[in-house]
mmCIF file of all heavy atoms in Angstrom:
data_model
loop_
_atom_site.group_PDB
_atom_site.id
_atom_site.type_symbol
_atom_site.label_atom_id
_atom_site.label_comp_id
_atom_site.label_asym_id
_atom_site.label_seq_id
_atom_site.Cartn_x
_atom_site.Cartn_y
_atom_site.Cartn_z
ATOM 1 N N GLU A 26 -0.800 -4.169 -29.436
ATOM 2 C CA GLU A 26 0.274 -4.993 -29.235
ATOM 3 C C GLU A 26 1.338 -4.647 -30.250
ATOM 4 O O GLU A 26 2.507 -4.638 -29.941
ATOM 5 C CB GLU A 26 -0.028 -6.486 -29.206
ATOM 6 C CG GLU A 26 1.119 -7.399 -28.789
ATOM 7 C CD GLU A 26 1.702 -6.974 -27.389
ATOM 8 O OE1 GLU A 26 0.838 -6.891 -26.481
ATOM 9 O OE2 GLU A 26 2.969 -6.939 -27.336
ATOM 10 N N TRP A 27 0.982 -4.544 -31.502
ATOM 11 C CA TRP A 27 1.969 -4.155 -32.533
ATOM 12 C C TRP A 27 2.646 -2.805 -32.264
ATOM 13 O O TRP A 27 3.831 -2.607 -32.382
ATOM 14 C CB TRP A 27 1.331 -4.061 -33.963
ATOM 15 C CG TRP A 27 2.173 -3.696 -35.028
ATOM 16 C CD1 TRP A 27 3.051 -4.424 -35.813
ATOM 17 C CD2 TRP A 27 2.448 -2.256 -35.476
ATOM 18 N NE1 TRP A 27 3.829 -3.593 -36.596
ATOM 19 C CE2 TRP A 27 3.390 -2.304 -36.420
ATOM 20 C CE3 TRP A 27 1.846 -1.097 -35.159
ATOM 21 C CZ2 TRP A 27 3.858 -1.141 -37.031
ATOM 22 C CZ3 TRP A 27 2.339 0.077 -35.726
ATOM 23 C CH2 TRP A 27 3.334 0.068 -36.796
ATOM 24 N N LEU A 28 1.770 -1.875 -31.867
ATOM 25 C CA LEU A 28 2.230 -0.485 -31.554
ATOM 26 C C LEU A 28 3.239 -0.513 -30.442
ATOM 27 O O LEU A 28 4.289 0.098 -30.435
ATOM 28 C CB LEU A 28 1.078 0.429 -31.352
ATOM 29 C CG LEU A 28 1.471 1.908 -31.025
ATOM 30 C CD1 LEU A 28 2.378 2.529 -32.206
ATOM 31 C CD2 LEU A 28 0.289 2.777 -30.769
ATOM 32 N N ASN A 29 2.835 -1.246 -29.322
ATOM 33 C CA ASN A 29 3.689 -1.480 -28.238
ATOM 34 C C ASN A 29 5.017 -2.037 -28.617
ATOM 35 O O ASN A 29 6.089 -1.566 -28.127
ATOM 36 C CB ASN A 29 3.025 -2.392 -27.193
ATOM 37 C CG ASN A 29 3.867 -2.736 -26.017
ATOM 38 O OD1 ASN A 29 4.203 -1.795 -25.176
ATOM 39 N ND2 ASN A 29 4.130 -4.006 -25.758
ATOM 40 N N HIS A 30 5.030 -3.116 -29.435
ATOM 41 C CA HIS A 30 6.226 -3.794 -29.756
ATOM 42 C C HIS A 30 7.136 -2.885 -30.634
ATOM 43 O O HIS A 30 8.306 -2.732 -30.393
ATOM 44 C CB HIS A 30 5.905 -5.117 -30.642
ATOM 45 C CG HIS A 30 6.958 -5.646 -31.149
ATOM 46 N ND1 HIS A 30 7.934 -6.456 -30.518
ATOM 47 C CD2 HIS A 30 7.597 -5.646 -32.506
ATOM 48 C CE1 HIS A 30 8.909 -6.881 -31.297
ATOM 49 N NE2 HIS A 30 8.664 -6.386 -32.530
ATOM 50 N N THR A 31 6.503 -2.109 -31.627
ATOM 51 C CA THR A 31 7.270 -1.301 -32.480
ATOM 52 C C THR A 31 7.923 -0.170 -31.659
ATOM 53 O O THR A 31 9.151 0.133 -31.888
ATOM 54 C CB THR A 31 6.436 -0.645 -33.539
ATOM 55 O OG1 THR A 31 5.787 -1.776 -34.234
ATOM 56 C CG2 THR A 31 7.092 0.090 -34.560
ATOM 57 N N LEU A 32 7.191 0.475 -30.768
ATOM 58 C CA LEU A 32 7.830 1.643 -30.033
ATOM 59 C C LEU A 32 8.818 1.045 -28.897
ATOM 60 O O LEU A 32 9.910 1.766 -28.757
ATOM 61 C CB LEU A 32 6.636 2.416 -29.256
ATOM 62 C CG LEU A 32 5.782 3.268 -30.215
ATOM 63 C CD1 LEU A 32 4.557 3.780 -29.403
ATOM 64 C CD2 LEU A 32 6.504 4.362 -30.971
ATOM 65 N N THR A 33 8.564 -0.084 -28.425
ATOM 66 C CA THR A 33 9.467 -0.574 -27.353
ATOM 67 C C THR A 33 10.728 -1.024 -28.108
ATOM 68 O O THR A 33 11.873 -0.725 -27.451
ATOM 69 C CB THR A 33 8.859 -1.850 -26.649
ATOM 70 O OG1 THR A 33 7.701 -1.430 -26.053
ATOM 71 C CG2 THR A 33 9.910 -2.415 -25.728
ATOM 72 N N LYS A 34 10.745 -1.503 -29.299
ATOM 73 C CA LYS A 34 11.838 -1.802 -30.024
ATOM 74 C C LYS A 34 12.718 -0.584 -30.439
ATOM 75 O O LYS A 34 13.892 -0.524 -30.312
ATOM 76 C CB LYS A 34 11.509 -2.597 -31.297
ATOM 77 C CG LYS A 34 12.696 -3.162 -32.111
ATOM 78 C CD LYS A 34 12.325 -4.153 -33.038
ATOM 79 C CE LYS A 34 13.423 -4.745 -33.931
ATOM 80 N NZ LYS A 34 14.532 -5.380 -33.189
ATOM 81 N N ALA A 35 11.926 0.505 -30.767
ATOM 82 C CA ALA A 35 12.671 1.854 -31.122
ATOM 83 C C ALA A 35 13.393 2.408 -29.952
ATOM 84 O O ALA A 35 14.288 3.152 -30.020
ATOM 85 C CB ALA A 35 11.651 2.795 -31.659
ATOM 86 N N MET A 36 12.935 2.056 -28.643
ATOM 87 C CA MET A 36 13.542 2.631 -27.444
ATOM 88 C C MET A 36 14.663 1.858 -26.868
ATOM 89 O O MET A 36 15.124 2.169 -25.786
ATOM 90 C CB MET A 36 12.422 2.877 -26.428
ATOM 91 C CG MET A 36 11.417 4.019 -26.870
ATOM 92 S SD MET A 36 10.274 4.386 -25.658
ATOM 93 C CE MET A 36 9.114 3.162 -25.898
ATOM 94 N N GLU A 37 14.872 0.751 -27.478
ATOM 95 C CA GLU A 37 15.887 -0.275 -26.770
ATOM 96 C C GLU A 37 17.303 0.296 -26.613
ATOM 97 O O GLU A 37 17.943 -0.079 -25.753
ATOM 98 C CB GLU A 37 16.000 -1.551 -27.742
ATOM 99 C CG GLU A 37 14.972 -2.521 -27.631
ATOM 100 C CD GLU A 37 15.085 -3.723 -28.410
ATOM 101 O OE1 GLU A 37 15.902 -3.703 -29.435
ATOM 102 O OE2 GLU A 37 14.317 -4.732 -28.393
ATOM 103 N N GLY A 38 17.737 1.262 -27.503
ATOM 104 C CA GLY A 38 19.042 1.737 -27.289
ATOM 105 C C GLY A 38 19.212 2.907 -26.235
ATOM 106 O O GLY A 38 20.350 3.263 -26.048
ATOM 107 N N TYR A 39 18.163 3.234 -25.573
ATOM 108 C CA TYR A 39 18.244 4.397 -24.601
ATOM 109 C C TYR A 39 18.534 3.681 -23.183
ATOM 110 O O TYR A 39 17.698 3.121 -22.665
ATOM 111 C CB TYR A 39 16.957 5.066 -24.516
ATOM 112 C CG TYR A 39 16.785 5.984 -25.866
ATOM 113 C CD1 TYR A 39 16.077 5.377 -26.893
ATOM 114 C CD2 TYR A 39 17.425 7.106 -25.922
ATOM 115 C CE1 TYR A 39 15.961 6.153 -28.091
ATOM 116 C CE2 TYR A 39 17.225 7.993 -27.048
ATOM 117 C CZ TYR A 39 16.551 7.463 -28.172
ATOM 118 O OH TYR A 39 16.392 8.179 -29.302
ATOM 119 N N GLU A 40 19.744 3.971 -22.781
ATOM 120 C CA GLU A 40 20.172 3.294 -21.544
ATOM 121 C C GLU A 40 19.547 3.739 -20.235
ATOM 122 O O GLU A 40 19.652 3.246 -19.249
ATOM 123 C CB GLU A 40 21.658 3.464 -21.443
ATOM 124 C CG GLU A 40 22.409 2.583 -22.507
ATOM 125 C CD GLU A 40 23.973 2.621 -22.416
ATOM 126 O OE1 GLU A 40 24.490 3.045 -21.300
ATOM 127 O OE2 GLU A 40 24.701 2.205 -23.315
ATOM 128 N N HIS A 41 18.955 5.039 -20.376
ATOM 129 C CA HIS A 41 18.351 5.553 -19.194
ATOM 130 C C HIS A 41 17.088 4.986 -18.955
ATOM 131 O O HIS A 41 16.484 5.165 -17.768
ATOM 132 C CB HIS A 41 18.283 7.145 -19.293
ATOM 133 C CG HIS A 41 17.122 7.464 -20.189
ATOM 134 N ND1 HIS A 41 17.220 7.358 -21.631
ATOM 135 C CD2 HIS A 41 15.909 8.133 -19.989
ATOM 136 C CE1 HIS A 41 16.112 7.765 -22.121
ATOM 137 N NE2 HIS A 41 15.261 8.198 -21.087
ATOM 138 N N LEU A 42 16.396 4.307 -19.721
ATOM 139 C CA LEU A 42 15.205 3.610 -19.558
ATOM 140 C C LEU A 42 15.321 2.391 -18.912
ATOM 141 O O LEU A 42 16.034 1.429 -19.380
ATOM 142 C CB LEU A 42 14.428 3.362 -20.925
ATOM 143 C CG LEU A 42 13.944 4.696 -21.610
ATOM 144 C CD1 LEU A 42 13.452 4.404 -22.973
ATOM 145 C CD2 LEU A 42 13.091 5.515 -20.775
ATOM 146 N N LEU A 43 14.798 2.207 -17.800
ATOM 147 C CA LEU A 43 15.033 0.976 -16.978
ATOM 148 C C LEU A 43 13.956 -0.035 -17.119
ATOM 149 O O LEU A 43 12.829 0.315 -17.323
ATOM 150 C CB LEU A 43 14.981 1.374 -15.365
ATOM 151 C CG LEU A 43 16.041 2.366 -14.950
ATOM 152 C CD1 LEU A 43 15.790 2.866 -13.527
ATOM 153 C CD2 LEU A 43 17.448 1.842 -15.166
ATOM 154 N N SER A 44 14.338 -1.366 -17.096
ATOM 155 C CA SER A 44 13.384 -2.295 -17.346
ATOM 156 C C SER A 44 13.072 -3.142 -16.028
ATOM 157 O O SER A 44 12.158 -4.032 -15.945
ATOM 158 C CB SER A 44 13.856 -3.260 -18.356
ATOM 159 O OG SER A 44 15.184 -3.861 -17.937
ATOM 160 N N SER A 45 13.949 -2.886 -15.035
ATOM 161 C CA SER A 45 13.691 -3.617 -13.719
ATOM 162 C C SER A 45 14.423 -2.989 -12.659
ATOM 163 O O SER A 45 15.347 -2.105 -12.860
ATOM 164 C CB SER A 45 14.232 -5.075 -13.853
ATOM 165 O OG SER A 45 15.600 -5.077 -14.099
ATOM 166 N N THR A 46 14.214 -3.521 -11.360
ATOM 167 C CA THR A 46 14.946 -3.030 -10.244
ATOM 168 C C THR A 46 16.468 -3.349 -10.337
ATOM 169 O O THR A 46 17.299 -2.499 -10.047
ATOM 170 C CB THR A 46 14.351 -3.588 -8.955
ATOM 171 O OG1 THR A 46 12.956 -3.190 -8.955
ATOM 172 C CG2 THR A 46 14.995 -3.017 -7.697
ATOM 173 N N GLN A 47 16.672 -4.490 -10.866
ATOM 174 C CA GLN A 47 18.017 -4.862 -11.104
ATOM 175 C C GLN A 47 18.890 -3.987 -12.017
ATOM 176 O O GLN A 47 20.020 -3.703 -11.727
ATOM 177 C CB GLN A 47 18.095 -6.453 -11.683
ATOM 178 C CG GLN A 47 19.449 -7.012 -11.684
ATOM 179 C CD GLN A 47 20.033 -7.131 -10.155
ATOM 180 O OE1 GLN A 47 19.294 -7.288 -9.146
ATOM 181 N NE2 GLN A 47 21.350 -7.101 -10.122
ATOM 182 N N SER A 48 18.157 -3.516 -13.117
ATOM 183 C CA SER A 48 18.881 -2.625 -13.965
ATOM 184 C C SER A 48 19.205 -1.295 -13.201
ATOM 185 O O SER A 48 20.248 -0.761 -13.536
ATOM 186 C CB SER A 48 18.060 -2.350 -15.316
ATOM 187 O OG SER A 48 16.816 -1.786 -14.944
ATOM 188 N N LEU A 49 18.289 -0.800 -12.360
ATOM 189 C CA LEU A 49 18.621 0.367 -11.540
ATOM 190 C C LEU A 49 19.780 0.117 -10.611
ATOM 191 O O LEU A 49 20.686 0.923 -10.540
ATOM 192 C CB LEU A 49 17.344 0.743 -10.706
ATOM 193 C CG LEU A 49 17.643 1.845 -9.769
ATOM 194 C CD1 LEU A 49 18.038 3.159 -10.473
ATOM 195 C CD2 LEU A 49 16.388 2.184 -8.900
ATOM 196 N N VAL A 50 19.906 -1.015 -10.003
ATOM 197 C CA VAL A 50 20.990 -1.425 -9.080
ATOM 198 C C VAL A 50 22.319 -1.302 -9.899
ATOM 199 O O VAL A 50 23.257 -0.716 -9.413
ATOM 200 C CB VAL A 50 20.783 -2.840 -8.476
ATOM 201 C CG1 VAL A 50 22.036 -3.262 -7.765
ATOM 202 C CG2 VAL A 50 19.552 -2.733 -7.570
ATOM 203 N N HIS A 51 22.230 -1.816 -11.097
ATOM 204 C CA HIS A 51 23.536 -1.903 -11.872
ATOM 205 C C HIS A 51 23.934 -0.397 -12.194
ATOM 206 O O HIS A 51 25.115 -0.035 -12.175
ATOM 207 C CB HIS A 51 23.391 -2.564 -13.185
ATOM 208 C CG HIS A 51 23.322 -4.077 -12.994
ATOM 209 N ND1 HIS A 51 24.383 -4.891 -12.345
ATOM 210 C CD2 HIS A 51 22.394 -5.066 -13.269
ATOM 211 C CE1 HIS A 51 24.061 -6.035 -12.312
ATOM 212 N NE2 HIS A 51 22.867 -6.230 -12.916
ATOM 213 N N LYS A 52 22.976 0.446 -12.559
ATOM 214 C CA LYS A 52 23.263 1.848 -12.882
ATOM 215 C C LYS A 52 23.771 2.636 -11.674
ATOM 216 O O LYS A 52 24.614 3.352 -11.778
ATOM 217 C CB LYS A 52 21.997 2.535 -13.424
ATOM 218 C CG LYS A 52 21.439 1.942 -14.680
ATOM 219 C CD LYS A 52 22.359 2.239 -15.792
ATOM 220 C CE LYS A 52 21.807 1.814 -17.069
ATOM 221 N NZ LYS A 52 22.641 1.842 -18.241
ATOM 222 N N LEU A 53 23.188 2.380 -10.558
ATOM 223 C CA LEU A 53 23.572 2.995 -9.270
ATOM 224 C C LEU A 53 25.023 2.608 -8.932
ATOM 225 O O LEU A 53 25.736 3.480 -8.252
ATOM 226 C CB LEU A 53 22.602 2.776 -8.198
ATOM 227 C CG LEU A 53 21.299 3.372 -8.281
ATOM 228 C CD1 LEU A 53 20.392 3.041 -7.129
ATOM 229 C CD2 LEU A 53 21.372 4.981 -8.272
ATOM 230 N N GLN A 54 25.407 1.350 -9.214
ATOM 231 C CA GLN A 54 26.784 1.002 -8.840
ATOM 232 C C GLN A 54 27.869 1.715 -9.707
ATOM 233 O O GLN A 54 29.078 1.741 -9.273
ATOM 234 C CB GLN A 54 26.886 -0.581 -9.077
ATOM 235 C CG GLN A 54 26.092 -1.356 -8.026
ATOM 236 C CD GLN A 54 26.154 -2.857 -8.371
ATOM 237 O OE1 GLN A 54 26.173 -3.290 -9.444
ATOM 238 N NE2 GLN A 54 25.816 -3.614 -7.287
ATOM 239 N N GLU A 55 27.395 2.308 -10.811
ATOM 240 C CA GLU A 55 28.356 3.034 -11.663
ATOM 241 C C GLU A 55 28.682 4.548 -11.160
ATOM 242 O O GLU A 55 29.415 5.160 -11.711
ATOM 243 C CB GLU A 55 27.805 3.050 -13.070
ATOM 244 C CG GLU A 55 27.743 1.739 -13.695
ATOM 245 C CD GLU A 55 27.008 1.762 -15.057
ATOM 246 O OE1 GLU A 55 26.583 2.899 -15.534
ATOM 247 O OE2 GLU A 55 26.865 0.688 -15.615
ATOM 248 N N VAL A 56 27.834 5.016 -10.164
ATOM 249 C CA VAL A 56 27.832 6.290 -9.582
ATOM 250 C C VAL A 56 28.718 6.353 -8.409
ATOM 251 O O VAL A 56 28.530 5.531 -7.534
ATOM 252 C CB VAL A 56 26.442 6.784 -9.410
ATOM 253 C CG1 VAL A 56 26.539 8.196 -8.789
ATOM 254 C CG2 VAL A 56 25.578 6.858 -10.678
ATOM 255 N N THR A 57 29.600 7.352 -8.313
ATOM 256 C CA THR A 57 30.394 7.619 -7.138
ATOM 257 C C THR A 57 29.832 8.745 -6.427
ATOM 258 O O THR A 57 29.842 9.892 -6.905
ATOM 259 C CB THR A 57 31.873 7.853 -7.562
ATOM 260 O OG1 THR A 57 32.438 6.648 -8.263
ATOM 261 C CG2 THR A 57 32.657 8.001 -6.218
ATOM 262 N N PRO A 58 29.166 8.481 -5.252
ATOM 263 C CA PRO A 58 28.560 9.634 -4.476
ATOM 264 C C PRO A 58 29.547 10.488 -3.758
ATOM 265 O O PRO A 58 30.544 9.954 -3.319
ATOM 266 C CB PRO A 58 27.569 8.958 -3.621
ATOM 267 C CG PRO A 58 28.131 7.581 -3.384
ATOM 268 C CD PRO A 58 28.863 7.164 -4.543
ATOM 269 N N ASN A 59 29.255 11.721 -3.531
ATOM 270 C CA ASN A 59 30.022 12.559 -2.710
ATOM 271 C C ASN A 59 29.174 13.126 -1.623
ATOM 272 O O ASN A 59 27.920 13.049 -1.624
ATOM 273 C CB ASN A 59 30.537 13.814 -3.623
ATOM 274 C CG ASN A 59 31.492 13.521 -4.660
ATOM 275 O OD1 ASN A 59 32.352 12.564 -4.482
ATOM 276 N ND2 ASN A 59 31.420 14.146 -5.705
ATOM 277 N N ASP A 60 29.806 13.598 -0.556
ATOM 278 C CA ASP A 60 28.932 14.232 0.572
ATOM 279 C C ASP A 60 28.155 15.324 0.017
ATOM 280 O O ASP A 60 28.617 16.088 -0.854
ATOM 281 C CB ASP A 60 29.886 14.789 1.600
ATOM 282 C CG ASP A 60 30.612 13.695 2.458
ATOM 283 O OD1 ASP A 60 30.082 12.508 2.499
ATOM 284 O OD2 ASP A 60 31.621 13.971 3.064
ATOM 285 N N GLY A 61 26.944 15.393 0.414
ATOM 286 C CA GLY A 61 25.987 16.347 -0.044
ATOM 287 C C GLY A 61 25.165 15.945 -1.307
ATOM 288 O O GLY A 61 24.279 16.591 -1.651
ATOM 289 N N ASP A 62 25.543 14.818 -1.948
ATOM 290 C CA ASP A 62 24.787 14.372 -3.046
ATOM 291 C C ASP A 62 23.327 13.788 -2.520
ATOM 292 O O ASP A 62 23.252 13.263 -1.490
ATOM 293 C CB ASP A 62 25.486 13.209 -3.753
ATOM 294 C CG ASP A 62 26.555 13.661 -4.580
ATOM 295 O OD1 ASP A 62 26.749 14.951 -4.837
ATOM 296 O OD2 ASP A 62 27.296 12.754 -5.163
ATOM 297 N N VAL A 63 22.270 14.024 -3.345
ATOM 298 C CA VAL A 63 20.998 13.514 -2.944
ATOM 299 C C VAL A 63 20.435 12.801 -4.271
ATOM 300 O O VAL A 63 20.875 13.059 -5.309
ATOM 301 C CB VAL A 63 20.083 14.638 -2.558
ATOM 302 C CG1 VAL A 63 20.487 15.374 -1.261
ATOM 303 C CG2 VAL A 63 19.958 15.691 -3.585
ATOM 304 N N MET A 64 19.550 11.932 -3.905
ATOM 305 C CA MET A 64 18.853 11.230 -5.029
ATOM 306 C C MET A 64 17.402 11.786 -5.005
ATOM 307 O O MET A 64 16.810 11.826 -3.957
ATOM 308 C CB MET A 64 18.810 9.663 -4.760
ATOM 309 C CG MET A 64 17.955 9.072 -5.983
ATOM 310 S SD MET A 64 18.005 7.284 -5.806
ATOM 311 C CE MET A 64 19.456 6.968 -6.847
ATOM 312 N N VAL A 65 16.909 12.162 -6.132
ATOM 313 C CA VAL A 65 15.534 12.693 -6.254
ATOM 314 C C VAL A 65 14.653 11.733 -7.094
ATOM 315 O O VAL A 65 15.100 11.297 -8.113
ATOM 316 C CB VAL A 65 15.668 14.139 -6.842
ATOM 317 C CG1 VAL A 65 14.185 14.614 -7.012
ATOM 318 C CG2 VAL A 65 16.463 15.009 -6.089
ATOM 319 N N ARG A 66 13.521 11.559 -6.665
ATOM 320 C CA ARG A 66 12.532 10.715 -7.348
ATOM 321 C C ARG A 66 11.284 11.684 -7.773
ATOM 322 O O ARG A 66 10.760 12.319 -6.812
ATOM 323 C CB ARG A 66 12.018 9.551 -6.588
ATOM 324 C CG ARG A 66 10.942 8.847 -7.313
ATOM 325 C CD ARG A 66 10.340 7.654 -6.431
ATOM 326 N NE ARG A 66 9.130 7.088 -6.841
ATOM 327 C CZ ARG A 66 7.936 7.452 -6.460
ATOM 328 N NH1 ARG A 66 7.811 8.449 -5.420
ATOM 329 N NH2 ARG A 66 6.844 6.924 -6.953
ATOM 330 N N ILE A 67 11.027 11.607 -9.056
ATOM 331 C CA ILE A 67 9.957 12.510 -9.514
ATOM 332 C C ILE A 67 8.810 11.482 -10.026
ATOM 333 O O ILE A 67 9.176 10.697 -10.896
ATOM 334 C CB ILE A 67 10.244 13.431 -10.678
ATOM 335 C CG1 ILE A 67 11.350 14.325 -10.082
ATOM 336 C CG2 ILE A 67 9.134 14.081 -11.224
ATOM 337 C CD1 ILE A 67 12.070 15.111 -11.284
ATOM 338 N N ASP A 68 7.542 11.535 -9.488
ATOM 339 C CA ASP A 68 6.558 10.732 -9.868
ATOM 340 C C ASP A 68 5.658 11.478 -10.759
ATOM 341 O O ASP A 68 4.936 12.584 -10.377
ATOM 342 C CB ASP A 68 5.695 10.272 -8.717
ATOM 343 C CG ASP A 68 4.491 9.247 -8.949
ATOM 344 O OD1 ASP A 68 4.392 8.983 -10.207
ATOM 345 O OD2 ASP A 68 3.880 8.919 -8.076
#
Side-chain angles (χ1 to χ4, degrees):
E26 188 59 46
W27 176 86
L28 184 58
N29 177 60
H30 173 78
T31 303
L32 291 173
T33 300
K34 189 165 177 59
M36 292 184 282
E37 281 179 349
Y39 291 92
E40 294 184 12
H41 75 287
L42 296 174
L43 302 172
S44 58
S45 66
T46 303
Q47 191 61 30
S48 61
L49 174 61
V50 169
H51 288 305
K52 297 292 183 188
L53 290 175
Q54 289 173 338
E55 298 171 2
V56 176
T57 304
N59 294 323
D60 286 342
D62 284 352
V63 295
M64 178 178 269
V65 177
R66 176 182 165 263
I67 300 170
D68 182 4

